[in-house]
Amino acid sequence: MIGRPRSPRSSGGSTPVRRTLLGALAGVAALLATGVTAAPAGAAPDPGVLSPAAQERALSFWTAQRMREATPLDVLTVDPSDVRRAAPRKGRTAVVPPSAPASAVGPLAFPHGGGPWAGGGAVTRTAGRVFFTYQGRTASCSGNAVTSANKSTVLTAGHCVKMQGAWHTNWVFVPGYRDGQRPYGTWTAAKLLSTPQWTAGEDINYDIGAAVVAPLDGTRLTDAVGGQGVAFNTGYSKPMYSFGFPAAAPYDGEKFIYCSGTTFRDFLLSGDHGLTCNMTGGSSGGPWFTQFDEATGTGLQSSVNSFKYNFLPNAMYGPYFGADAQNLYQSAQSS
């Protein structure tokens, strides 16, 4: 179980975030959205469900100017005295293959501690920026479209869908975002989800979120951009690639950034993956891939950007995709 982190420090001028029930997470947002479900008469509505009216408001709310002015969630930093060790629940290895069409990509450097992704490929369509309203301000994270039964599932960080006890509002996903352009449109969340552990107590080991997005002009998300694969319970110390849209200095949120290398298991306080990576606030929720093919830009999503320790600024951590992450994915894709 993760305890309370220290108040995060501001990154690149972004607004500081103060949290009370937050596990050790870094400011990369993750969200879990699922499709709208009807509530029985007289029952309280599911707080993660967004009505069609709310979806319309979100779509009109996010003008190009508001997207440019959105501030990233600070990368939250953690001190060892603030947390207690807890290991995520494991299960059998499970793999969902990608459904994104492949395209040629030139080889890039491996390992890489952080820089623009110049290879192209499917990942430039499936990954994108996430925008939402948090505590009265506009904010940004990252996310990724994955293969799913409903063809509408986006994976992100838990703190990108819910934080300090409240679900974010005006939540949208912009796949393929680059330099202010929205080549595949703006997709509004119909439902946001997270793991039970994040929803109830913001446990950093389970900082995983999902969103089920509504169709755009009658087309479902992965029919438009494709979907990456997903993998659960694949173990540690794997060659992995991490992607995101960091928006705190030295980045500005306009470029697609990646890190790569062989991961290590957090030897301090969590059961998370670790990777040498200099991404900053706004990259939260961006995908981590195992079996990533630079030649096609496809892989198996196995984590998300989540947190950093305050004494290890160049190491990013992402939650282990175990049994609870798999349950979340199943809930999202069946919505």
Side-chain angles (χ1 to χ4, degrees), residues 108-114 117 123 229-243 257-266 271-277 279 286-294 298-305 316-321:
L108 298 176
F110 182 96
H112 197 285
W117 175 255
V123 70
V230 193
F232 306 96
N233 296 296
T234 56
Y236 292 92
S237 302
K238 303 287 187 180
M240 294 180 78
Y241 288 69
S242 167
F243 293 86
I257 305 299
Y258 87 105
C259 299
S260 63
T262 299
T263 61
F264 52 90
R265 184 171 182 172
D266 182 10
D272 288 9
H273 302 285
L275 179 67
T276 299
C277 186
M279 282 196 273
W288 291 34
F289 297 106
T290 52
Q291 298 184 32
F292 185 77
D293 185 352
E294 285 191 349
T298 59
L300 303 176
Q301 184 166 350
S302 304
S303 189
V304 296
N305 292 320
M316 180 72 77
Y317 292 85
Y320 185 89
F321 272 22

Side-chain angles (χ1 to χ4, degrees), residues 31 107 168 210 263:
L31 68 94
H168 301 324
T263 61

Side-chain angles (χ1 to χ4, degrees), residues 46-147:
D46 185 330
V49 174
L50 290 87
S51 68
Q55 296 170 39
E56 287 296 325
R57 286 195 298 270
L59 194 60
S60 61
F61 178 84
W62 284 107
T63 62
Q65 181 176 350
R66 282 196 171 118
M67 287 186 177
R68 286 192 299 269
E69 294 174 350
T71 56
L73 290 184
D74 287 337
V75 171
L76 304 182
T77 56
V78 179
D79 186 275
S81 63
D82 296 322
V83 296
R84 301 192 303 276
R85 182 181 298 275
R89 294 194 306 132
K90 305 298 195 301
R92 294 182 178 179
T93 301
V95 172
V96 178
S99 58
S103 59
V105 179
L108 298 176
F110 182 96
H112 197 285
W117 175 255
V123 70
T124 63
R125 300 187 299 275
T126 63
R129 290 189 78 180
V130 169
F131 296 93
F132 52 89
T133 302
Y134 164 71
Q135 291 189 346
R137 69 180 174 97
T138 55
S140 69
C141 276
S142 302
N144 181 62
V146 294
T147 299

Side-chain angles (χ1 to χ4, degrees), residues 193-315:
L193 298 135
S194 189
T195 58
Q197 297 88 343
W198 181 261
T199 300
E202 298 187 350
D203 183 335
I204 197 61
N205 279 296
Y206 301 92
D207 182 23
I208 311 164
V212 174
V213 296
L216 180 61
D217 297 328
T219 300
R220 290 182 290 182
L221 176 63
T222 60
D223 284 334
V225 302
Q228 295 286 353
V230 193
F232 306 96
N233 296 296
T234 56
Y236 292 92
S237 302
K238 303 287 187 180
M240 294 180 78
Y241 288 69
S242 167
F243 293 86
F245 291 84
Y251 300 108
D252 61 4
E254 297 302 306
K255 297 293 188 295
F256 191 38
I257 305 299
Y258 87 105
C259 299
S260 63
T262 299
T263 61
F264 52 90
R265 184 171 182 172
D266 182 10
F267 56 89
L268 292 170
L269 303 165
S270 74
D272 288 9
H273 302 285
L275 179 67
T276 299
C277 186
N278 70 2
M279 282 196 273
T280 59
S283 62
S284 291
W288 291 34
F289 297 106
T290 52
Q291 298 184 32
F292 185 77
D293 185 352
E294 285 191 349
T296 62
T298 59
L300 303 176
Q301 184 166 350
S302 304
S303 189
V304 296
N305 292 320
S306 176
F307 79 94
K308 288 187 172 186
Y309 289 110
N310 56 10
F311 52 91
L312 294 172
N314 289 321

